[in-house]
């Protein structure tokens, strides 16, 4: 694949993430924050997000696996995850957290378990997609090209 | 950071957030705003940093949910110990949370995801605090409570649009200082009386009392004191405050070179500084006619809630005035027409753009309203859109807070029963009828328009006007007479237009759009 094709692929791929609602405009904001002084800003932030989220999901799983679920502990975790997913624009994860919190409020253990699964699913999805995105970018850069700015013509 | 040459560049911000992702993002964003950023992941750590360098930071931005300490607690600590402005953040925007933030003293509450534009204007909170500090230092019983002056100053300082030049406002600033200094006469300081803190609420009571009395010369301290019904307040307190107030108003008047008012200007400021009101407002002419009975009527009368966030600006609202706000336009340099022709109230356009733009800069709008009669007539006779342009500036405000102070800038003799956000008790206000009228007029500007529409064609029935325009608190009779007359003329003699000086017609830079014309015609505003 030549450089132009790779760049086009990247653009299409990125667009698809927005179209599918996996990412929202916050991600664009991040990309706009990236500059020469910080050329890896976005990937750094996203990496932080992954690390933090892995931790939160772990804690969440633990607290939901207790015999007696302490929702006072569960809810803050979900809130945390909601916050951090909003930081990179992981829209679907954030939305799943909103649903999750509602069930926390209702203290519905069953539903919360399902929510956790949903959240995890969305999280792995966005993680996967973003990792692919960064790989594409790396390929372009490795081929001597520039990563095109995202144009959202839709 | 010196007071005189305040600059947002290099503002020292401490960001506190337990979310590492957000911390990194915010750091980057704040750096892009040219601020000096320090990040911190824990509330206790933040407090430590702050205490270590008492003067090391200008403003603190903190997330509400911190693991080691409640964000609100941190807010309290910072506020009390260090008296720094604190902005709260959260991904959760529930009203109760926001309210809690305000109650705990947050100067703003931002919702995540946070936008650059919101961070770009955080420096206003620092400036505001500094202005307050100066007042406190000068003392004179205005410690921390000189909100009404502060807010006016804010208006000055922040009212220049994006290119605020702080330097040139220095003389205003100094004047205020002098004013405060004058206040502290030897007798009061030596008598060791407890300082009267003229809080906003107290000042409102004062203003309402003055309004009730009506004319400046009749409003004596004793009477005001009686009306205010504040047991611990003394006649001396009121007297000195009144003196200040009068000086202040006269200074405003002088500054704006308002000359052509005999009975004062009556016009309605119906601009709801409220996007909500305007959002329903897509009418082509973009106008909301609010019948002004010559009262400086704050939009709050009809829609108090938007202004409730005096100290808590809507993060999504662009608080800074757009560059359009130019004093030259605002002044509209009152044409040399006899004031009597314009004493009457004219329904004039309130551009919805204006309305939805920002919280109203009431102070400015007061001053700028003074030339309004000419503008209003202009509007009546020409394109509402022109009015939009002219009216825009008065209705923008740097901060939500300033709009609350509208009352204070009323000419004593023009006191209208304005309702303030905090004091929506109609009984405290003299011009009840107007009040009622306004409350009848809904927030929906189109309804207002319609109601006016009904009025206008029949405006020669001055009876209807009279009831609505019963401004008994003003030079009522004269006013009413003028108003009635004006309306009669308005509806019945298009020739009135030809009598108007040309500059009224063409004073504006914009010519009416075709849309506006049809709108005007539809609403009976167009006099052909």
């Amino acid at each position: 694949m030549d450089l132009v094709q790779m760049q086009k692929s990247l653009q299409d791929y990125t667009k698809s993430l927005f179209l599918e609602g996996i990412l929202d405009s916050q991600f664009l904001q991040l990309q706009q924050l990236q500059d020469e002084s910080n050329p890896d800003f976005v990937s750094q932030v996203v990496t932080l997000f992954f690390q933090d989220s892995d931790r939160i999901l772990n804690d969440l799983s633990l607290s939901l696996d207790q015999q007696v679920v302490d929702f006072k502990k569960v809810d803050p975790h979900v809130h945390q995850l909601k916050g951090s997913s909003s930081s990179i624009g992981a829209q679907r994860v954030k939305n799943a957290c909103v649903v999750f919190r509602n069930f926390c409020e209702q203290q519905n253990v069953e539903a919360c378990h399902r929510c956790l699964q949903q959240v995890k699913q969305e999280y792995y999805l966005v993680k996967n997609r973003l990792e692919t995105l960064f790989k594409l970018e790396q390929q372009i850069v490795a081929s001597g090209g520039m990563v095109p700015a995202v144009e959202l013509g839709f | 950071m010196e007071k005189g040459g305040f600059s947002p560049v290099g503002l020292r911000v401490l960001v506190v957030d337990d979310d590492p992702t957000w911390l990194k993002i915010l750091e980057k964003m704040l750096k892009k705003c040219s601020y000096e950023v320090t990040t911190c992941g824990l509330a206790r750590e933040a407090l430590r940093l702050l205490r270590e360098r008492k003067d090391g930071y200008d403003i603190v931005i903190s997330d509400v949910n911190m693991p080691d300490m409640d964000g609100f607690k941190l807010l309290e600590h910072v506020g009390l110990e260090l008296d720094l402005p604190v902005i709260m953040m959260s991904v959760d925007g529930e009203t109760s949370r926001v309210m809690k933030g305000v109650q705990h003293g947050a100067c703003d509450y931002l919702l995540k995801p946070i936008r650059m534009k919101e961070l770009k204007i955080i420096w206003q909170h620092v400036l505001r605090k500094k202005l307050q500090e100066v007042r406190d230092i000068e003392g004179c019983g205005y410690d921390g409570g000189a909100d009404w002056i502060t807010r006016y100053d804010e208006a000055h300082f922040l009212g220049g649009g994006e290119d605020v030049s702080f330097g040139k406002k220095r003389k205003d600033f100094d004047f205020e200082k002098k004013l405060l200094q004058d206040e502290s006469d030897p007798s009061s300081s030596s008598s060791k009386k407890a300082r009267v803190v003229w809080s906003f609420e107290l000042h409102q009571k004062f203003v309402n009392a003055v309004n009730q009395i009506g004319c400046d010369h009749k409003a004596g301290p004793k009477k005001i004191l009686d009306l205010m019904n504040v047991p611990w307040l003394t006649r001396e307190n009121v007297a000195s405050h009144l003196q200040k107030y009068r000086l202040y108003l006269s200074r405003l008047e002088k500054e704006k070179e308002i000359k052509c008012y005999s009975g004062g200007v009556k016009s309605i400021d119906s601009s709801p500084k409220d996007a909500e009101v305007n959002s329903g407002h897509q009418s082509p002419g973009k106008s909301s006619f609010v019948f002004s009975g010559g009262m400086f009527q704050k939009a709050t009368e009809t829609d108090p809630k938007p202004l409730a966030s005096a100290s808590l600006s809507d993060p999504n609202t662009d608080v800074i005035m757009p560059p359009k706000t130019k004093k030259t336009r605002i002044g509209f340099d009152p044409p040399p027409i006899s004031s009597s022709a314009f004493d009457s109230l004219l329904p004039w356009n309130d551009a919805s753009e204006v309305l939805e733009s920002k919280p109203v800069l009431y102070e400015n709008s007061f001053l700028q309203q003074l030339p309004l009669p000419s503008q209003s007539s202009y509007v009546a006779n020409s394109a509402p859109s022109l009015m939009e342009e002219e009216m825009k500036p008065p209705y923008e405000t740097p901060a939500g807070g300033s709009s609350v102070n509208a009352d204070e800038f009323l000419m004593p003799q023009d006191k209208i029963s304005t309702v303030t956000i905090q004091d929506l008790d109609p009984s405290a206000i003299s011009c009840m009828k107007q009040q009622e009228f306004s409350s009848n007029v809904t927030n929906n500007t189109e309804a207002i328009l319609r109601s006016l529409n009904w009025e206008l064609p029949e405006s020669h029935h001055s009876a209807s006007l009279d009831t609505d325009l019963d401004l008994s608190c003003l030079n009522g009779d004269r006013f009413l007479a003028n108003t009635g007359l004006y309306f009669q003329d308005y509806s019945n003699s298009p020739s009135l237009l030809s009598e108007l000086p040309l500059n009224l017609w063409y004073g504006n830079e914009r010519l009416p759009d075709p849309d506006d014309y049809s709108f005007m015609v539809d609403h009976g505003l167009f006099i052909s």
Side-chain angles (χ1 to χ4, degrees), chain B residues 194-322:
Chain B
R195 258 199 208 170
V196 172
V197 178
W198 279 94
S199 68
F200 186 74
E201 284 74 21
L202 193 59
H203 180 71
Q204 275 313 122
K205 282 203 169 115
F206 169 81
V207 172
N208 291 334
V210 176
N211 288 350
Q212 266 183 274
I213 293 168
C215 300
D216 195 22
H217 58 271
K218 277 200 212 137
K222 182 80 178 67
K223 223 170 179 177
I224 298 172
L225 180 65
D226 288 339
L227 281 172
M228 279 176 74
N229 194 23
V230 176
W232 51 267
L233 202 63
T234 70
R235 195 200 139 283
E236 287 73 27
N237 299 141
V238 175
S240 65
H241 191 72
L242 180 63
Q243 184 190 45
K244 264 182 101 143
Y245 187 48
R246 283 186 184 144
L247 278 169
Y248 186 59
L249 291 176
S250 63
R251 165 200 156 197
L252 294 183
E253 210 191 340
K254 226 185 333 154
E255 277 186 336
K256 300 299 172 180
E257 294 175 323
I258 292 141
K259 286 160 193 134
C260 61
Y261 307 96
S262 42
V265 176
K266 291 96 181 160
S267 52
I268 277 190
D269 170 18
S270 71
S271 57
K273 308 103 182 177
D274 173 25
E276 290 159 55
V277 178
N278 303 315
S279 54
H281 207 63
Q282 304 296 327
S283 53
K286 296 175 281 197
S287 56
S288 66
F289 285 89
V290 176
F291 195 53
S292 106
M295 312 238 302
F296 289 101
Q297 183 172 322
K298 279 164 64 168
T300 49
E301 291 180 81
T302 50
D303 192 355
K305 80 174 143 54
L307 295 177
S309 58
S311 60
L312 187 64
S313 55
D314 174 2
N316 298 317
T317 301
D318 217 336
V319 170
I320 287 207
M321 291 165 83

Side-chain angles (χ1 to χ4, degrees), chain B residues 47 65 79-80 93 101 127 136 158 184 295 313 321 326-327 341 348 358 364 428 444 518 520:
Chain B
L47 272 177
N65 299 89
L80 287 169
L127 177 61
D136 293 353
L158 303 170
S184 61
M295 312 238 302
S313 55
M321 291 165 83
K326 293 195 174 62
K327 297 271 163 92
W348 47 270
K358 345 281 166 189
N364 280 349
N444 185 344
S518 56
M520 282 160 50

Side-chain angles (χ1 to χ4, degrees), chain B residues 131 134-135 138 140 146 148-150 152-153 156-157 169-183 244 247-249 251-252 255 409:
Chain B
L131 291 175
V134 171
R135 268 113 195 96
E138 301 297 333
C140 320
W148 60 281
I149 289 186
T150 302
Y152 176 76
D153 269 296
H156 265 304
F157 279 86
K169 300 300 177 192
R170 178 77 104 138
K171 71 166 162 60
D172 298 333
F173 190 70
D174 288 342
F175 178 96
E176 290 300 350
K177 275 166 74 171
K178 177 143 200 326
L179 203 54
L180 289 166
Q181 274 163 351
D182 289 345
E183 174 86 6
K244 264 182 101 143
L247 278 169
Y248 186 59
L249 291 176
R251 165 200 156 197
L252 294 183
E255 277 186 336
F409 306 98

